Amino acid sequence: MLRSPYLLALGLASAASAADPFAEMVRTSPWLTPAEEAQSFSLPEGFAIQLVAAEPDIGKPISMSFDPSGQLWIAETRSYPLPPSEAPRDSIRILSQFQTNGSPASNHLFADGLALPDAVTPYRQGALVFSAPNIVYLPDANSDGRADHQESVLGPFAVNDAHNMVNNFRRGFDGWIYAGQGVGNQSALRSRSGQPFAMSGGAFRFRPDGASIEKFSDGQANVFGLCFDPLGNLFTSDCHSMPIYQNIYGGFYPVFGKPHDGLGYAPPMLDHNHGSTAISGLISCEDPLWPPDFQGNFFLGNVVTSRINRDRIALHGSTKVAVEMPDLLQSRDPWFRPVDVQFGPDGALYIADFYNRIIAHVEVPLDHPGRDRQSGRLWRIVKLGPDGQPLLRSRSPFPTLSLTDKILQLGDPSLAHRLAVLNALADQPDPALVDALLQARQNRPADLPLQAASLWLLERLGALSPPLLSAAAHHPDPLLRSHALRILVERPQWQPHEIALVLEALRDPDGFVARAAADALARHPDPAFLLPLLALRHRAPADDTHLVYQVRKALRDQLLLPASFPFLDTQTLTPADAAAIADVALALPSPSAATFLAQRLAALPAPLNPPPDWLRHIARYLSPENLDPLAATLAATLAAPTALDPAAQLAQFEAARQGLNQRGLPLSPAFLSWASQIAQRLLAPSAPPHPTAQIAAATLTAQLQLPALEDPLASLLRDPSADPRARAAALRALLGLHPAPHLALAASLLNDGQFPLDSRRDIASALASLTSPESRTVLTQCLRQAPDRLALHIATALAGSAPGADALVEAISLGRAPASLLTQPSLRDQLLALRPTLAETLSRLTATLSPNAERLQHVVAARQAEYSPATSDPAAGALTFQLHCAVCHHLNGQGGRVGPELDGIGHRGLERLCEDVLDPNRNVDQVFRYSIATLKDGRAIAGLFRRQEGALLIFAEASGQEIAVDQSQVLERHASTSSLMPEVFADLLAPSDFQNLMAFLLSQTSPP
């Protein structure tokens, strides 16, 4: 009887990872009952955990929200992570009347027939839910506890990746509903009012009726958790970057493959990742039932390490810096998966436990039979009193309260309850509500939470008078001042007295108030606000990174107005003012910003040394008639006695060239002359023989075809004592200038086993770029004896053009090159993109080969079985990682960002790591699938599409290098289903090197 490969893998993982069950992507520990799982938890002294509900009474919970009556709405999904089906089977459940032991007296199904409901929030007489691909309203008009029907509110959103869908609805003081989405889905839709909306990763917000929807922030890989603090600040948790961000409206946060918007990435608030790149759920502890040292702490669900992580906050003005603390909860059961954490109005912390052997999305097949589709638990953590009993808050049912008592709950100790009450009152206002609110404010002036929430409620009812708003903006407590400014942020237009309040708040000593004022000006731009913002920029403390970023963004947003730079021309700017404007000008895609930078450049003292970013921006946006004089000025500085090091000028030239390329402009003679002078200085006989400088000069010559460099490059090539990398670069340049005299030497070096492999690859790329019969002959002749990695590179280079593809297939047909090359998916895709008629030939040439997938499956199992921690060396593995992996993968703050980030990768376990390295195409996240671009000149390139920069499409090659392609030259572009990572490491890495690499990667986990 044949054994399932999945079950075989489970057995191998059990043997290899028994010492650390949390390092397994597919847990091999047994399923535990809820009572057994409860015994696995460890909590700080003075806390206890209670089971609220478990299967079969609930399904698999993924998101939670409380309503004003204390009812807990749970989104359940047994479908995840499979894509939406034609017969949706997920549901919304309501639990209520929680007893002292945690169990609910009421548990009923509210709605079913939903598709992957990653978000739910109560609204009016029902709930708003994300049911793929739409946000829908589920009303209960007859109050029987069941949804009557579905009403589409917004959509359709992109749902091609179930791991990156819309999630975690959280409603703020302002009435907007905030949500997250991952970068794996590219959504594009319109609001009910026709407003366009498009985004991938980040946070967004929408009105409950669907009339408006907008980005809140950009970037972040996969937001899956949002919360507010009492000031109304929004925080998000994210997979693959940092676990928590304090979000600034319009901020751009890090995400792989996307450069920032010119301002730099919005600031982080922590520098650790809790040992995992899979954070789900986020909440700030603001409940007074919890001890003082927990107040303001953040709790995060870590579904990989099976913990609730904890961070306390250190304040630097308006910047909250998260300091890692001992975990709030640890579990000895690796199936514990805390996907959401929420404080209830009773003061307990509720935890949605997606109890499962497998939580991984991409790393494990979506239809893996080990995925649990039935078990799900709901827990709550309670603080114990001196008598050992839970400290819990109780209330009368909200609907039975008088209007006055409902209003008084706006000052409730629970922030979540205050927000729920605020939004419920705003959604279904009572005619007597305004008068009752004003009376409550008068009766309870010291109740600051009530004062703040009632401000918002009056604002949303259109009843907030100017005197009340002004009084709040001048209140001694910054909580009310901050909320007053946030109300002004949301107002679409201002009266003169409101402008005065905002400008006054810019000088507030409290960083949160000043930051809210800067945000208000950012959303209401006017050139007159530039000078007050500059004043705040100069006095903002450097360690208040969020205030500094917000003020810089506000300055940028003022400068987007056409009248702003003319306004500045009428002002007398100090050097500090001018520097602050230049600092944000890089985020302004306009000739005015480029002109300002060019004027600043002209005012710099000799030697002229502008930042490269300035030159990139100037070249991209300056008026064309001013570009050549700029290049001539920069070139002239090379002859000055105080001239900069030519390497510094090279960086400046490259930045300027990139700007011109993004603009779609060719290099003018003035720029070419500048480049030629730089290269000549780098290769001058008097210059020290530095390989980096020589390579740079040769590369510049090759790219720009600079004939004046031919003689010094020929001298470098003939020098056997020169660095091999420099000689290879020189050869590449000379082949581009005059190939015939240098083909023989190219063939000799290409076949020289003592010549560095990377340099041989460079030579192969140069020969392939010639697209001549002679160069193709050299390449195909080398294939017979080339090592696998070089052979694959040569084959890929040949496959970049139609004649090269024909030559490669002919060489394989004649037995002059290995047919195994054709088993590489990326190579096959390239060949077929240029020559679709080759499909039958490729099948014939590979017919006698063992299927690569089957071969790799055996290799993976064998390498896994061979692994022995006792005989492996993690330090040696780190060197192997640097040599083979770091060019594409980022780990511990270093390396490239082509492939997935690898912080905490040790938690994947040996089984999955073997698959990742040896069989990279087994499961590929859509974000990391490469594209094939067929060009008008007959070439085809394979690379990971990263972004668009003006007229350029940017791809990342398997080598980690980025290549730019003019989009006007692209005939066709289609996405592959495979990874850019080649399937060569089974043969490339010696068994001992592979074992050491595994030891190193397995060591990359969270601290104990």
Side-chain angles (χ1 to χ4, degrees), residues 484-492 494 516-517 519-521 523-524:
L485 267 295
R486 288 184 180 275
I487 286 171
L488 288 169
V489 166
E490 297 296 335
R491 286 188 172 178
W494 288 340
D519 185 20
L521 295 182
R523 301 200 219 179
H524 298 77

Side-chain angles (χ1 to χ4, degrees), residues 230-231 448 452 472-486 508-514 516:
L231 290 169
L448 296 183
H474 294 96
H475 195 276
D477 195 286
L479 174 73
L480 292 190
R481 301 203 304 274
S482 181
H483 278 288
L485 267 295
R486 288 184 180 275
D508 197 291
D510 183 85
F512 287 107
V513 178

Side-chain angles (χ1 to χ4, degrees), residues 163 179 224 245 286 311 511 647 673 675 714 768 861 891 896 913 929 964 1001 1003:
H163 186 51
F224 204 93
Y245 286 101
E286 310 293 344
D311 289 286
S673 175
L891 176 63
L913 287 177
R929 295 176 181 178
L1001 294 176
S1003 70

Side-chain angles (χ1 to χ4, degrees), residues 555-756:
L555 284 168
R556 188 273 311 272
D557 294 345
Q558 315 305 312
L559 292 169
L560 287 169
L561 297 173
S564 290
F565 279 104
F567 170 80
L568 288 176
D569 289 339
T570 68
Q571 305 298 309
T572 302
L573 298 180
T574 67
D577 291 337
I581 296 296
D583 173 52
V584 301
L586 295 173
L588 298 166
S590 70
S592 296
T595 299
F596 182 87
L597 289 174
Q599 291 170 345
R600 287 283 296 159
L601 187 154
L604 291 177
L608 204 57
N609 186 21
D613 285 349
W614 284 27
L615 290 176
R616 181 183 300 106
H617 202 75
I618 291 170
R620 185 167 180 181
Y621 297 108
L622 191 67
S623 298
E625 64 270 15
N626 294 323
L627 286 173
D628 278 356
L630 173 67
T633 299
L634 291 166
T637 64
L638 280 171
T642 57
L644 290 176
D645 182 282
Q649 281 230 352
L650 176 62
Q652 294 168 349
F653 170 79
E654 291 293 356
R657 179 165 60 145
Q658 185 179 16
L660 292 172
N661 287 341
Q662 291 167 344
R663 192 173 187 168
L665 292 179
L667 288 174
S668 68
F671 276 94
L672 288 172
S673 175
W674 181 26
S676 183
Q677 291 182 59
I678 293 171
Q680 289 181 59
R681 285 282 299 275
L682 289 169
L683 290 175
S686 58
H690 195 287
T692 302
Q694 293 169 334
I695 292 170
T699 302
L700 202 61
T701 302
Q703 293 170 343
L704 304 182
Q705 295 287 286
L706 303 174
L709 275 294
E710 186 169 359
D711 288 343
L713 285 175
S715 297
L716 173 61
L717 176 61
R718 291 191 298 268
D719 183 1
S721 66
D723 186 281
R725 296 167 299 163
R727 294 182 69 199
L731 175 58
R732 181 168 186 159
L734 292 168
L735 286 171
L737 292 172
H738 292 104
H742 307 290
L743 282 176
L745 181 56
S748 173
L749 293 177
L750 196 58
N751 288 287
D752 184 354
Q754 302 302 311
F755 208 65

Side-chain angles (χ1 to χ4, degrees), residues 793-818:
H793 182 82
I794 292 173
T796 303
L798 283 167
S801 69
D806 293 338
L808 173 64
V809 173
E810 181 184 18
I812 294 173
S813 300
L814 296 174
R816 296 171 182 167

Side-chain angles (χ1 to χ4, degrees), residues 895-944:
R897 294 183 183 271
V898 178
E901 304 229 357
L902 300 184
D903 286 333
I905 191 175
H907 289 293
R908 296 189 182 185
L910 178 64
E911 175 192 4
R912 181 58 200 173
L913 287 177
C914 288
E915 293 174 0
D916 286 343
V917 176
L918 301 175
D919 192 3
N921 290 311
R922 189 172 296 190
N923 290 289
V924 187
D925 192 314
Q926 296 187 48
V927 176
F928 298 110
R929 295 176 181 178
Y930 65 83
S931 297
I932 298 289
T934 307
L935 309 182
K936 292 179 180 179
D937 62 7
R939 293 182 295 136
I941 61 170
L944 187 67

Side-chain angles (χ1 to χ4, degrees), residues 261-598:
D261 57 2
L263 279 182
Y265 291 116
M269 57 178 285
L270 75 175
D271 59 2
H272 55 272
N273 66 3
H274 289 294
S276 169
T277 58
I279 301 298
S280 299
L282 175 70
I283 197 67
S284 175
C285 178
E286 310 293 344
D287 199 293
L289 289 180
W290 286 55
D293 56 334
F294 284 82
Q295 295 302 309
N297 287 194
F298 282 93
F299 303 138
L300 306 91
N302 194 322
V303 297
V304 170
T305 63
S306 301
R307 303 180 181 195
I308 304 293
N309 301 134
R310 173 188 167 205
D311 289 286
R312 71 170 176 83
I313 292 300
L315 273 180
H316 296 264
S318 71
T319 297
K320 291 188 173 186
V321 177
V323 181
E324 189 169 12
M325 298 294 288
D327 296 319
L328 175 67
L329 179 149
Q330 295 186 18
S331 175
R332 295 186 301 277
D333 182 2
W335 289 47
F336 173 59
R337 308 291 192 170
V339 293
D340 197 10
V341 287
Q342 292 295 312
F343 269 102
D346 54 11
L349 179 68
Y350 286 74
I351 304 167
D353 177 6
F354 199 76
Y355 195 76
N356 214 312
R357 177 193 302 275
I358 304 168
I359 198 69
H361 177 76
V362 177
E363 295 85 354
V364 178
L366 304 186
D367 57 354
H368 193 300
R371 292 187 185 272
D372 185 302
R373 306 207 178 263
Q374 304 301 322
S375 307
R377 286 90 190 261
L378 187 67
W379 306 92
R380 73 176 185 183
I381 297 175
V382 295
K383 180 70 180 73
L384 300 178
D387 58 358
Q389 296 301 306
L391 295 176
L392 294 167
R393 216 179 278 110
S394 61
R395 301 179 183 79
S396 300
F398 187 76
T400 66
L401 297 177
S402 68
L403 179 59
T404 298
D405 287 339
K406 288 179 179 177
I407 290 172
L408 292 181
Q409 294 203 16
L410 292 174
D412 191 88
S414 165
L415 173 61
H417 188 62
R418 296 200 300 272
L419 285 168
V421 170
L422 165 61
N423 286 302
L425 291 173
D427 288 338
Q428 297 178 315
D430 187 302
L433 179 56
V434 171
D435 289 340
L437 271 172
L438 294 174
Q439 187 63 50
R441 288 179 56 83
Q442 185 175 347
N443 293 341
R444 293 180 176 252
D447 188 341
L448 296 183
L450 181 145
Q451 293 287 322
S454 61
L455 278 177
W456 279 104
L457 187 49
L458 287 168
E459 172 71 6
R460 289 165 63 178
L461 295 172
L464 182 58
S465 67
L468 276 181
L469 182 61
S470 178
H474 294 96
H475 195 276
D477 195 286
L479 174 73
L480 292 190
R481 301 203 304 274
S482 181
H483 278 288
L485 267 295
R486 288 184 180 275
I487 286 171
L488 288 169
V489 166
E490 297 296 335
R491 286 188 172 178
Q493 295 177 342
W494 288 340
Q495 299 299 316
H497 69 277
E498 295 168 339
I499 296 175
L501 289 177
V502 176
L503 294 176
E504 183 181 357
L506 284 179
R507 300 187 295 274
D508 197 291
D510 183 85
F512 287 107
V513 178
R515 200 179 85 203
D519 185 20
L521 295 182
R523 301 200 219 179
H524 298 77
D526 186 303
F529 299 151
L530 282 166
L531 297 182
L533 283 167
L534 284 169
L536 177 56
R537 174 68 184 91
H538 301 328
R539 66 175 179 269
D543 64 344
D544 191 348
T545 57
H546 287 63
L547 176 59
V548 170
Y549 181 87
Q550 177 66 79
V551 179
R552 293 177 63 242
K553 179 184 172 299
L555 284 168
R556 188 273 311 272
D557 294 345
Q558 315 305 312
L559 292 169
L560 287 169
L561 297 173
S564 290
F565 279 104
F567 170 80
L568 288 176
D569 289 339
T570 68
Q571 305 298 309
T572 302
L573 298 180
T574 67
D577 291 337
I581 296 296
D583 173 52
V584 301
L586 295 173
L588 298 166
S590 70
S592 296
T595 299
F596 182 87
L597 289 174

